[in-house]
Amino acid sequence: DTRSLCINVIDKLIELHQVDVKAAGLDSLGKGDGYVARQINGWSDRYLKAKTDDATDFQTVMDWLKANMPEDVGQCLIHNDFRLDNVVLETQNPLNVIGVLDWEMATIGDPLMDLGNSLAYWVQADDEPQFQMMRRQPTHLAGMLTRDEVVAYYLEKTGRSLDSFVFYEVYGLFRLAVIIQQIYYRYYHGQTQDKRFAGFAHAARYLETRCLRLIKGEG
């Protein structure tokens, strides 16, 4: 059952990426080619603006991303926050996905960047304790695909080929770190008193470590 749900969720992302945006009247959402570059430059700028005195600098990661940007593999409708905890399941058949929530970041862009975003949240059973502490969805359960299996399944179903997914995985983790750092920035400057955010600087620092390991080929 877990595997069936996992596949059904991934299939919805694939289905989303195959939407005819022009026929759906959504082509005005996009800004054209150059999506990858806009994302890397944009999220790098956001990190620098959200950096606090106790934050890691992420400079090596940002430099690597800018130096290794691939061309856009395509332009399609992307969700930009597609996760297991953003899908709606059918009451009578909870393995069936009947809806997707949180569309505020949806746009026209590169599908592999969208997949990279999703996998940043995909904490699997054999990940180290620091990453397990950040898990907010049941991707660690027996039957769930691993991140590598998700990528392989996606590529097979979409007919795409790719030598390495590392760039997109590093991008997804970096983007998540920026989001975490932006939240921590508000806490650091007293704009929110929510104590849950007190450790977010440590979380961002851990994500930098994961990025650096991937860049070095250490997984």
Side-chain angles (χ1 to χ4, degrees), residues 58 134 177 180 199-208:
F58 263 99
M134 298 176 65
I180 288 172
F200 273 29
H202 299 295
R205 190 174 295 111
Y206 168 72
L207 290 175
E208 182 188 46

Side-chain angles (χ1 to χ4, degrees), residues 33-187:
D33 293 337
Y35 179 84
V36 172
R38 287 194 299 273
Q39 293 305 298
I40 300 306
N41 292 328
W43 286 104
S44 296
D45 184 58
R46 292 182 194 103
Y47 184 79
L48 294 175
K49 289 179 178 177
K51 192 179 173 196
T52 50
D53 291 339
D54 56 347
T56 186
D57 64 21
F58 263 99
Q59 195 60 52
T60 299
V61 176
M62 291 188 289
D63 289 346
W64 184 87
L65 286 168
K66 290 178 181 179
N68 289 275
M69 287 189 292
E71 297 292 328
D72 295 8
V73 301
Q75 298 286 316
C76 68
L77 181 60
I78 61 176
H79 184 275
N80 259 328
D81 200 17
F82 192 91
R83 310 194 309 254
L84 270 168
D85 50 350
N86 267 343
V87 300
V88 182
L89 306 178
E90 185 180 3
T91 303
Q92 300 304 316
N93 178 15
L95 304 182
N96 185 33
V97 179
I98 60 171
V100 180
L101 305 174
D102 290 351
W103 289 88
E104 59 266 24
M105 291 191 287
T107 188
I108 306 300
D110 186 303
L112 295 183
M113 297 286 273
D114 202 19
L115 182 59
N117 290 337
S118 296
L119 290 184
Y121 297 93
W122 200 279
V123 181
Q124 57 197 45
D126 61 351
D127 281 326
E128 58 195 344
Q130 297 96 315
F131 207 22
Q132 295 289 347
M133 290 175 64
M134 298 176 65
R135 182 182 57 76
R136 312 195 86 168
Q137 50 185 3
T139 47
H140 66 304
L141 296 180
M144 284 284 178
L145 274 66
T146 64
R147 289 184 295 273
D148 287 346
E149 289 172 335
V150 172
V151 172
Y153 180 84
Y154 180 93
L155 293 176
E156 179 184 0
K157 294 286 283 190
T158 59
R160 296 188 181 277
S161 60
L162 192 67
D163 293 333
S164 170
F165 195 75
V166 171
F167 174 86
Y168 303 101
E169 188 170 0
V170 172
Y171 158 68
L173 292 170
F174 171 61
R175 175 182 178 268
L176 176 58
V178 177
I179 293 170
I180 288 172
Q181 181 63 32
Q182 287 176 320
I183 296 171
Y184 179 71
Y185 179 92
R186 293 175 54 234
Y187 176 82

